[in-house]
């Protein structure tokens, strides 16, 4: 299928402008941002969706189906200028139907009695009241990869296998330690999160208990998401932002006075006290008065 790279967004087609919810203009107006690009993809055919559903025994969510009928996947990248060189930073990806494949363990290097992904299932996590039941690597769940997150984890479309044809699905994030984190109930809600977070590195980790790395926090402060929980950025701010407060830095600094001649400008109070003390000690010692020990 033919794909077109749109280097300049000034001539972006109206449907692509709607697809990106206008963030291209926001990025272009941000300081230091350069090379905002969208890879235009042709819409998927309905028979491609029907074939995917038949092959995987799953019913594709209606909102995801409508998305693929508009564009067979999504890929948008943008860079920033560092030392006059463009450095890739933001990346927004939704896999095409062909790449919407099941997350399974590779059998290339599998040895007899070797550990599998099913051994990682923790049954104790099922009682969590704050989020739905976590996915399983066995036959109880069917997992498809929506985005590889540039190697920082995987965003997955997860079906709960309760019938021969799976219908109920949710969006989860699988981190590099193979722990699951709930994102949204629908693809539409996830797509909004992807767009509003501008595809910043590790943005999915804001939905984990340990959050994003200090380096990612620096980028988040430079290019803040459109809608975002600011508590993540405000807590422990001093640990990842360099601040200079002149009033504190120079608070205890006093101006050094130039040495003066005898009988000239009076010394500062501290110097007068020290000199008088030394002279009194000298006079007491010369007069023969005992010094109290």
């Amino acid at each position: 299928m033919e794909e077109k790279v749109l280097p300049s967004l000034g001539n972006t087609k109206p449907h692509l402008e709607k697809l990106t919810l206008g963030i291209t203009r926001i990025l272009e107006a941000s300081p230091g941002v350069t090379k905002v690009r969208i890879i235009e993809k042709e819409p998927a055919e309905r028979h491609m969706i029907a074939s995917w559903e038949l092959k995987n025994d799953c019913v594709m969510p209606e909102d995801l189906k409508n998305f693929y009928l508009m564009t067979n996947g999504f890929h948008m990248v943008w860079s920033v200028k560092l030392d006059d060189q463009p450095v890739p930073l933001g990346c927004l990806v939704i896999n095409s139907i062909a790449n919407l494949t099941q997350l399974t363990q590779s059998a290339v290097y599998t040895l007899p009695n070797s550990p599998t992904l099913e051994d990682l299932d923790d049954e104790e996590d099922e009682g969590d009241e704050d989020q739905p039941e976590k996915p399983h690597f066995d036959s109880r769940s069917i997992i498809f990869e929506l985005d590889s997150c540039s190697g920082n984890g995987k965003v997955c479309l997860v079906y709960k296998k309760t019938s021969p044809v799976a219908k109920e699905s949710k969006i989860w994030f699988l981190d590099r330690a193979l722990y699951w984190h709930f994102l949204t109930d629908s693809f539409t809600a996830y797509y909004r999160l992807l767009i509003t977070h501008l595809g910043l590195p590790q943005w999915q980790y804001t939905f984990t208990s340990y959050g994003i790395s200090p380096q990612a926090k620096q980028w988040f402060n430079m290019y803040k998401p459109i809608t975002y929980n600011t508590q993540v950025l405000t807590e422990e701010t001093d640990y990842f932002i360099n601040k200079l407060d002149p009033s504190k830095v120079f608070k205890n600094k006093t101006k050094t006075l130039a040495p003066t001649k005898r009988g000239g400008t009076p010394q500062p109070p501290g110097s007068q006290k020290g000199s008088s003390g030394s002279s009194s000690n000298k006079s007491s010692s010369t007069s023969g008065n005992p010094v109290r020990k």
Side-chain angles (χ1 to χ4, degrees):
M1 184 173 293
E2 184 180 358
E3 296 180 353
K4 300 177 182 179
V5 179
L6 304 180
S8 176
L9 295 180
N11 299 324
T12 301
K13 296 181 179 180
H15 76 280
L16 289 178
E17 185 70 17
K18 294 180 180 179
L19 185 65
T20 59
L21 303 181
I23 65 165
T24 54
R25 300 182 184 277
I26 297 176
L27 287 171
E28 285 183 326
S30 300
V33 175
T34 181
K35 293 188 176 181
V36 183
R37 298 182 178 181
I38 300 177
I39 300 178
E40 184 181 4
K41 301 186 178 185
E42 297 294 331
E45 302 291 340
R46 290 189 178 274
H47 69 84
M48 299 171 63
I49 298 176
S51 177
W52 183 91
E53 292 178 327
L54 184 62
K55 175 184 177 181
N56 297 289
D57 294 325
C58 297
V59 176
M60 185 177 291
E62 199 65 27
D63 52 358
L64 180 57
K65 191 181 300 183
N66 293 333
F67 175 82
Y68 281 130
L69 290 175
M70 183 167 55
T71 173
N72 189 8
F74 179 67
H75 192 183
M76 175 179 173
V77 294
W78 54 278
S79 305
V80 294
K81 269 191 176 181
L82 292 178
D83 297 331
D84 295 330
Q85 296 294 328
V87 177
L89 183 63
C91 184
L92 299 84
V93 174
I94 299 292
N95 285 342
S96 63
I97 294 180
N99 293 325
L100 191 62
T101 56
Q102 288 196 41
L103 184 66
T104 56
Q105 186 176 18
S106 175
V108 176
Y109 301 104
T110 301
L111 300 175
N113 300 323
S114 61
T116 64
L117 289 176
E118 297 180 11
D119 298 328
L120 299 176
D121 277 332
D122 190 358
E123 302 294 341
E124 296 180 357
D125 292 339
E126 295 185 3
D128 194 348
E129 298 179 356
D130 297 333
Q131 55 184 238
E133 178 184 343
K134 292 187 177 181
H136 300 278
F137 292 109
D138 54 22
S139 58
R140 288 174 289 179
S141 301
I142 308 178
I143 306 169
F144 300 93
E145 181 181 325
L146 279 173
D147 180 12
S148 61
C149 305
S150 302
N152 292 317
K154 294 182 184 296
V155 173
C156 300
L157 176 69
V158 180
Y159 285 86
K160 189 176 181 180
K161 189 70 173 178
T162 56
S163 60
V165 179
K167 299 180 180 180
E168 181 184 353
S169 64
K170 299 183 184 300
I171 309 294
W172 289 77
F173 174 60
L174 180 66
D175 65 19
R176 289 177 58 87
L178 300 181
Y179 285 101
W180 289 103
H181 309 275
F182 177 69
L183 293 180
T184 64
D185 288 312
S186 65
F187 171 77
T188 300
Y190 167 72
Y191 184 74
R192 289 173 179 170
L193 288 178
L194 175 66
I195 293 295
T196 55
H197 283 82
L198 308 177
L200 287 165
Q202 304 178 18
W203 72 264
Q204 298 88 354
Y205 281 87
T206 60
F207 294 87
T208 67
S209 59
Y210 30 87
I212 57 180
S213 67
Q215 181 182 6
K217 286 181 180 179
Q218 294 279 11
W219 291 119
F220 269 65
N221 278 275
M222 291 181 65
Y223 304 102
K224 292 184 179 179
I226 301 172
T227 57
Y228 187 70
N229 183 6
T230 55
Q231 181 180 0
V232 178
L233 295 180
T234 55
E235 62 184 6
E236 299 182 355
T237 305
D238 294 334
Y239 291 97
F240 59 89
I241 297 180
N242 295 325
K243 293 183 177 180
L244 178 63
D245 189 349
S247 63
K248 292 183 179 180
V249 173
F250 303 106
K251 183 176 181 180
N252 296 325
K253 300 290 184 180
T254 57
K255 185 177 181 180
T256 304
L257 299 177
T260 58
K261 296 181 180 180
R262 185 177 300 174
T265 307
Q267 299 293 328
S271 302
Q272 292 178 356
K273 183 177 180 181
S275 60
S276 61
S278 60
S279 60
S280 61
N281 291 336
K282 184 177 180 181
S283 60
S284 61
S285 60
T286 55
S287 60
N289 293 334
V291 178
R292 181 175 299 177
K293 296 182 179 180

